[in-house]
Amino acid sequence: MIGGREPLRGNKPGDRRVRVERPQSPYFRYTGKGVLTAKPAANAPTTPVGQALERTRRAVIGRPLSNEEEIGERLSKTKALAIFSSDAISSSAYATEEILRALLVGGLAALAYSVPVAIGIAVLLGVVAISYRQVCMAYPTGGGSYSVSKANFGRLASLVAASALLIDYVLTVAVSISSASEQIVVAVPGLRDLQVEIAVVAIVLVTLGNLRGLRESGSIFAIPTYLFVFSAMLMIGIGGWQILVEGQGVPPATQAATEDLAGVAMLLLLLRAFASGAVALTGVEAIATGVPAFKPPESRNAAATLAVMAGLLAILFVGITFLASGFAVVPNEHSTVISQVAGHVFGTSSVGYFLFLSFATLILVLAANTSFNAFPRLAAILAVDGFIPRQFSLRGDRLAFTTGILVLGLVAITLVVAFHGETHLLIPLYAVGVFIDFTISQSGMVRHWLRTRPPGYRYRLAINASGAVVTGVVAVVVTSVKAPGSLVVVVLIPILVGIMLLVHRQYEGMTRQLAVKPDVVFRQPQRNERVVIPIPNLSRPVVQAIQVGRSLSDDVQVVHITSEREEGELLRQQFEHQFPGVPFVIVESPYRALVRPFVTYLDVTTRDADAMTMVIIPEFVARHWWERLLYNQTAKRLRVALLDRHDTVVAAVPYRRELPSDGEAARSTVPSGLHDPPEPPRPGSPQA
């Protein structure tokens, strides 16, 4: 117990009372026998610099959250739709353009096939969404396709699925932010030279927003998502009226397109357009990955959110494609397709036009938010399983997976800078991994239903089997059509799998080496121990280290490494006078090296192979951060050199300089053996 009970006597005979001292109460609270729980004050920094950094961090990402507040960070369906669906919904802003660019190869007349292609992609979206609803219900712990393939196909397939997902999440951030920066430079042509810088700043802002935690980022990002959905619905409604009722559109020329292209050429053109527009399906799996982020009942809420997201995406995607086809919009380098559609509907100089482009830009920026929530959660699951460094599984002050968020932001910034913020350069790498992931996930669900056979499993089995076949075919088509860019992802996936297997092998090997058998009872060690203390001079830190060493063992040696023999002899004389009986060894170093001669001295003076050598290094504790650059550099080098030495324990004994104004209070805190010796009595004094 921290503190204690002190019995006190009262003023009257027989009066007794007990004073309970609890110095820990501002910092800890008792939560069980032998268990203390830290309060916020226990985590508070004590130095001025640390306090300033803490205030800055709170201003940027907010106050730290405790584990008990985790349930309050869960998402409602309304906020979850904004967070996990922003990627899929935002793809309607550029998926239509990718279809039109692919069809434009066949001439202007071929653009008439954009609507049938969009409808085909919407049907595929429905199949995938229904399939992933089954994943949400069957695997409520999250992880999506990784968890499904791990349970049904084993380690290798699960790592392939995880690698494909991680690549897709990174590309989602790069593509969506690059597309958003393109929308900005279209609206403000004077910023065209700053397109990459705008994208980098946007990634940084989204990263900071997600570091504030899941619930708060949902509150920040929900409004722009819904503003885009409502404004896009309004644009589709007005544009549909203008085309169908007022007859402002241009009639499609499918007959001309059919005459120009026929047979294999037409099929290849449609497949290319289908593969390009399939980017609309990216982000569908994010909800299945983040099921634990929902409020209870998690699975049911996630499945409902997934259904709403799929419906919204289908309406927006097909609707915008219909407007682009109806108004005969042609992709060009000066304006995006969605901005041309908005210009036809609202007028290029109207308030509605600029508002819609603003909302589209915001949703494209926030589309990265889906990856910033799904990527860290998948990385945390992989870290718990030992396939990536374990720090990815640690939650930060705001209960967010800080490491995953920061790594995703840095990698996405690297991609944006490397590809100059051009969406069309990134698109060939995009959507390949996600369809590989779709196929593995749905195949795993087929095996899951065949293995478990719950009531009504045949219906679910048919859904997932259909999804596996369709997404498998699309994966082959997308990879083939987007080659050679898509081959980069195909090569990168096995590389990531190999790295994960190496990390897992390292963790497993170290776990075996560090494991403690549960039936072993540990007794008092009976090993010979010697203490060796390297000293540069005789000072208070050195004296404290020697006193600590003498309290641990009777076999204590003090070693002084020097290149000047005379100085070493002078130090020996002073040392033997003040520490009689403690061996003092001088190691002369003609080549002026310090660390290596000391390590070699330890090697050649080890007499007993079973003996434990304890090296005690005196260190001076600086008051200020800049003073740390001036002290203890040799001690740090020596500690690093000794870490790999067998049967050697390295201990640092810090000496803290007391403030001069502390007076006698400071002297009372000096460790035993460091007090100045009393002055001899003067002649004629009472003590003499």
Side-chain angles (χ1 to χ4, degrees):
M1 175 179 178
I2 301 178
R5 297 173 178 267
E6 180 182 357
L8 302 175
R9 293 185 178 275
N11 295 327
K12 298 180 180 180
D15 285 355
R16 290 179 179 272
R17 55 198 175 102
V18 175
R19 179 172 62 194
V20 180
E21 295 183 352
R22 292 179 176 171
Q24 82 282 1
S25 58
Y27 309 101
F28 300 94
R29 68 177 187 271
Y30 283 102
T31 54
K33 184 178 181 181
V35 179
L36 295 176
T37 299
K39 294 181 178 180
N43 297 320
T46 56
T47 62
V49 174
Q51 292 171 352
L53 292 175
E54 177 66 17
R55 288 193 294 269
T56 303
R57 185 169 61 177
R58 288 195 173 207
V60 175
I61 65 174
R63 67 173 181 85
L65 300 175
S66 66
N67 292 334
E68 290 80 3
E69 296 177 274
E70 192 272 338
I71 190 66
E73 291 295 299
R74 299 284 188 91
L75 297 173
S76 63
K77 287 181 285 188
T78 304
K79 289 184 178 180
L81 181 64
I83 287 182
F84 287 108
S85 303
S86 56
D87 175 20
I89 292 175
S90 68
S91 63
S92 61
Y94 55 83
T96 297
E97 181 162 354
E98 296 305 316
I99 294 176
L100 296 179
R101 286 183 179 275
L103 292 174
L104 193 59
V105 176
L108 294 176
L111 298 180
Y113 288 99
S114 58
V115 174
V117 171
I119 294 175
I121 294 174
V123 173
L124 176 61
L125 168 65
V127 174
V128 172
I130 295 173
S131 299
Y132 267 98
R133 279 176 53 87
Q134 307 299 324
V135 175
C136 294
M137 302 301 293
Y139 294 90
T141 56
S145 59
Y146 170 72
S147 298
V148 175
S149 54
K150 177 185 174 183
N152 296 284
F153 292 138
R155 176 182 300 177
L156 189 60
S158 66
L159 293 182
V160 171
S163 301
L165 266 184
L166 293 177
I167 293 172
D168 184 70
Y169 288 144
V170 173
L171 287 171
T172 294
V173 177
V175 169
S176 60
I177 295 294
S178 297
S179 180
S181 64
E182 289 177 353
Q183 299 290 344
I184 293 174
V185 300
V186 165
V188 187
L191 298 177
R192 185 169 296 277
D193 294 337
L194 299 176
Q195 181 173 334
V196 175
E197 289 78 2
I198 292 172
V200 171
V201 171
I203 294 176
V204 171
L205 292 177
V206 176
T207 302
L208 292 176
N210 280 276
L211 288 175
R212 295 187 66 89
L214 194 61
R215 181 172 58 87
E216 191 159 344
S217 64
S219 301
I220 296 173
F221 300 146
I223 295 178
T225 301
Y226 288 112
L227 285 176
F228 171 77
V229 171
F230 293 145
S231 62
M233 290 288 191
L234 178 62
M235 182 184 71
I236 292 171
I238 296 176
W241 177 271
Q242 293 173 346
I243 293 173
L244 299 176
V245 178
E246 298 180 359
Q248 297 184 19
V250 178
T254 56
Q255 183 64 33
T258 304
E259 294 175 355
D260 293 339
L261 292 171
V264 177
M266 174 60 71
L267 178 61
L268 291 177
L269 182 66
L270 294 178
L271 287 177
R272 184 178 183 85
F274 187 89
S276 299
V279 295
L281 272 69
T282 56
V284 174
E285 80 293 337
I287 292 178
T289 302
V291 173
F294 286 79
K295 289 183 176 181
E298 294 87 349
S299 297
R300 189 175 302 171
N301 289 336
T305 305
L306 181 59
V308 174
M309 180 269 294
L312 286 175
L313 174 57
I315 294 173
L316 295 178
F317 175 49
V318 175
I320 292 174
T321 305
F322 171 75
L323 296 183
S325 177
F327 290 119
V329 172
V330 179
N332 60 72
E333 297 180 355
H334 305 289
S335 180
T336 61
V337 167
I338 196 170
S339 65
Q340 294 183 59
V341 171
H344 279 285
V345 175
F346 299 115
T348 54
S349 59
S350 66
V351 176
Y353 172 76
F354 287 102
L355 284 178
F356 177 77
L357 285 188
S358 300
F359 299 152
T361 302
L362 284 176
I363 189 64
L364 286 169
V365 172
L366 300 185
N369 194 52
T370 297
S371 293
F372 273 100
N373 283 279
F375 180 97
R377 289 185 174 274
L378 178 58
I381 295 173
L382 288 168
V384 170
D385 291 342
F387 292 108
I388 63 175
R390 286 175 179 162
Q391 54 263 38
F392 281 88
S393 65
L394 303 179
R395 292 178 180 266
D397 288 346
R398 299 289 296 179
L399 294 174
F401 297 106
T402 306
T403 303
I405 293 173
L406 293 176
V407 168
L408 176 58
L410 290 175
V411 176
I413 288 174
T414 303
L415 276 178
V416 168
V417 173
F419 288 87
H420 309 291
E422 296 291 337
T423 305
H424 305 300
L425 297 178
L426 291 166
I427 285 294
L429 308 177
Y430 200 30
V432 176
V434 73
F435 279 100
I436 295 175
D437 182 77
F438 286 163
T439 305
I440 295 175
S441 172
Q442 303 315 306
S443 301
M445 287 302 297
V446 170
R447 186 164 185 178
H448 169 78
W449 300 126
L450 291 174
R451 181 168 50 85
T452 58
R453 297 180 182 271
Y457 79 94
R458 289 183 176 86
Y459 165 73
R460 299 182 178 92
L461 175 63
I463 292 175
N464 292 124
S466 302
V469 172
V470 173
T471 55
V473 172
V474 175
V476 174
V477 171
V478 170
T479 305
S480 303
V481 170
K482 292 188 175 184
S486 60
L487 300 181
V488 175
V489 177
V490 175
V491 173
L492 190 57
I493 288 175
I495 292 176
L496 287 179
V497 171
I499 294 174
M500 291 181 187
L501 290 174
L502 287 176
V503 172
H504 188 70
R505 180 179 178 182
Q506 173 66 21
Y507 276 138
E508 279 191 333
M510 189 56 61
T511 300
R512 286 194 300 268
Q513 294 180 15
L514 301 180
V516 177
K517 296 181 179 179
D519 57 341
V520 177
V521 178
F522 296 94
R523 307 295 182 184
Q524 180 73 21
Q526 300 295 328
R527 303 183 67 176
N528 297 325
E529 295 182 356
R530 66 165 180 161
V531 175
V532 181
I533 308 171
I535 68 169
N537 49 41
L538 197 56
S539 59
R540 283 179 175 262
V542 169
V543 172
Q544 177 172 284
I546 294 173
Q547 295 294 70
V548 170
R550 295 170 78 180
S551 68
L552 297 175
S553 175
D554 295 330
D555 185 2
V556 178
Q557 284 185 346
V558 174
V559 179
H560 176 63
I561 312 293
T562 181
S563 59
E564 300 292 338
R565 175 72 175 274
E566 294 77 9
E567 293 181 1
E569 292 294 344
L570 292 176
L571 180 60
R572 183 205 296 273
Q573 295 177 12
Q574 181 184 2
F575 182 85
E576 290 179 346
H577 171 70
Q578 295 190 280
F579 287 94
V582 177
F584 183 90
V585 178
I586 299 176
V587 176
E588 187 176 0
S589 177
Y591 299 99
R592 298 163 303 283
L594 297 176
V595 175
R596 192 63 228 171
F598 178 74
V599 176
T600 305
Y601 170 80
L602 295 179
D603 294 336
V604 301
T605 57
T606 301
R607 297 179 298 272
D608 187 353
D610 295 330
M612 175 68 70
T613 300
M614 178 175 290
V615 178
I616 297 181
I617 303 175
E619 291 191 11
F620 173 71
V621 179
R623 292 179 183 173
H624 307 289
W625 65 268
W626 55 268
E627 289 181 325
R628 296 171 191 160
L629 303 175
L630 307 177
Y631 303 103
N632 304 319
Q633 301 307 313
T634 302
K636 293 177 182 177
R637 290 164 47 208
L638 184 59
R639 186 163 55 245
V640 171
L642 294 173
L643 286 178
D644 293 333
R645 193 173 184 275
H646 182 63
D647 283 340
T648 300
V649 176
V650 183
V653 177
Y655 177 80
R656 296 169 178 82
R657 179 177 54 178
E658 304 296 342
L659 296 175
S661 59
D662 288 346
E664 294 301 324
R667 292 175 58 84
S668 65
T669 62
V670 178
S672 175
L674 293 185
H675 294 290
D676 294 329
E679 297 182 0
R682 299 177 181 177
S685 65
Q687 295 179 354

